[in-house]
Amino acid sequence: LNYLLYFAEFEEARKWVANDLVFDKNVDVNLFESTIRILGGLLSTYHLSGDSLFLEKAKDIGNRLMPAFKTPSKIPYSDVNIGRGTAHPPRWTSDSTVAEVTSIQLEFRELSRLTGDEKFQKAVDEVMKHVHTLSGKNDGLVPMFINTNSGQFTHLGVYTLGARADSYYEQLGMTLIHRLLEDYMRAIEGVKKHLLQRSQPKKLTFIGELAHGHFSAKMVRSTTAFK
């Protein structure tokens, strides 16, 4: 009975994807959120079902997200108009967050593997190659922002495992590439050296934040980066 219910729900969802999930719309979407939720969801469903409909939809949204990478530095903009094929940074800055631009590796790489089109993997690989070579890190820890024009880190001196940086470290651990594993191991040592502390008097271990050489004893929001 449960199987029949699940099958009915899947068929209902598939029908919606086939008939109502249309990406040709004049709307801005966030590159990071659309990648991990829409593209990632479609790719996962394709793997679970083997239904090519989901791969075709994944390819469609993947192509529509590609204009984000058309920047002077190849560091992607945060926002894409998936109908017009244009992209831009947030309204308040020309920076992107390091977490967002580095946390789209798995989905774009898998899309290239499944479609045979290397452009998706090439785009995200260029980002990680670039970040790998940048100065401004502190024992493997990265700042929270990166400029899409210059390709350089901005707001230097603040290092955290919290929002705007957290999932950069997750990607290092999940992407099995030698230079990223090297960055991951260096970052772990950086966390131990700069961010890991014990409370007083109970000696409870916690991770704080380093801001311009000063440790701040506050817990950043939950992250799975080093689980």
Side-chain angles (χ1 to χ4, degrees):
L1 179 60
N2 285 339
Y3 173 79
L4 292 176
L5 289 174
Y6 293 146
F7 182 76
E9 289 181 355
F10 174 79
E11 286 301 310
E12 181 180 358
R14 185 193 186 283
K15 182 178 179 181
W16 181 86
V17 170
N19 300 326
D20 299 310
L21 183 60
V22 178
F23 297 124
D24 189 13
K25 295 182 177 181
N26 180 19
V27 61
D28 284 353
V29 302
N30 179 269
L31 171 67
F32 167 70
E33 298 290 352
S34 298
T35 298
I36 66 170
R37 304 185 195 286
I38 302 174
L39 178 57
L42 289 167
L43 291 173
S44 296
T45 307
Y46 168 71
H47 278 296
L48 290 169
S49 67
D51 191 327
S52 62
L53 167 68
F54 299 100
L55 180 57
E56 288 303 312
K57 291 288 185 177
K59 185 177 179 180
D60 185 13
I61 187 61
N63 278 315
R64 292 176 184 277
L65 295 174
M66 287 300 290
F69 297 91
K70 294 180 180 179
T71 70
S73 66
K74 305 302 181 184
I75 297 298
Y77 290 126
S78 64
D79 299 301
V80 190
N81 188 300
I82 55 175
R84 293 182 175 179
T86 58
H88 58 83
R91 305 301 180 190
W92 51 277
T93 181
S94 59
D95 294 343
S96 289
T97 67
V98 173
E100 290 188 347
V101 302
T102 59
S103 299
I104 54 179
Q105 292 288 307
L106 296 180
E107 295 85 0
F108 275 80
R109 289 178 182 277
E110 182 63 5
L111 187 57
S112 278
R113 191 184 74 84
L114 292 173
T115 63
D117 191 338
E118 295 181 355
K119 68 182 179 185
F120 305 109
Q121 177 172 330
K122 183 178 179 181
V124 295
D125 197 35
E126 287 295 322
V127 174
M128 296 306 284
K129 284 181 180 178
H130 182 75
V131 172
H132 176 75
T133 64
L134 283 181
S135 60
K137 299 174 186 174
N138 187 358
D139 292 324
L141 303 178
V142 296
M144 294 185 289
F145 296 95
I146 187 168
N147 188 270
T148 53
N149 293 317
S150 68
Q152 300 299 309
F153 288 131
T154 62
H155 300 76
L156 300 178
V158 178
Y159 305 96
T160 176
L161 293 192
R164 304 187 188 281
D166 51 358
S167 48
Y168 161 75
Y169 303 104
E170 295 176 21
Q171 292 292 309
L172 295 181
M174 291 189 293
T175 308
L176 300 179
I177 299 175
H178 176 70
R179 68 173 179 277
L180 301 188
L181 179 59
E182 178 184 325
D183 288 345
Y184 182 72
M185 298 305 296
R186 185 178 294 116
I188 290 177
E189 295 306 313
V191 170
K192 292 178 181 178
K193 181 177 180 181
H194 299 290
L195 304 183
L196 196 66
Q197 296 282 347
R198 292 184 182 275
S199 67
Q200 299 295 335
K202 293 188 176 181
K203 304 294 184 182
L204 300 176
T205 300
F206 71 99
I207 294 175
E209 181 178 287
L210 186 68
H212 307 290
H214 300 284
F215 180 80
S216 177
K218 66 179 183 181
M219 286 292 287
V220 298
R221 75 173 175 85
S222 177
T223 176
T224 59
F226 293 101
K227 285 185 178 178

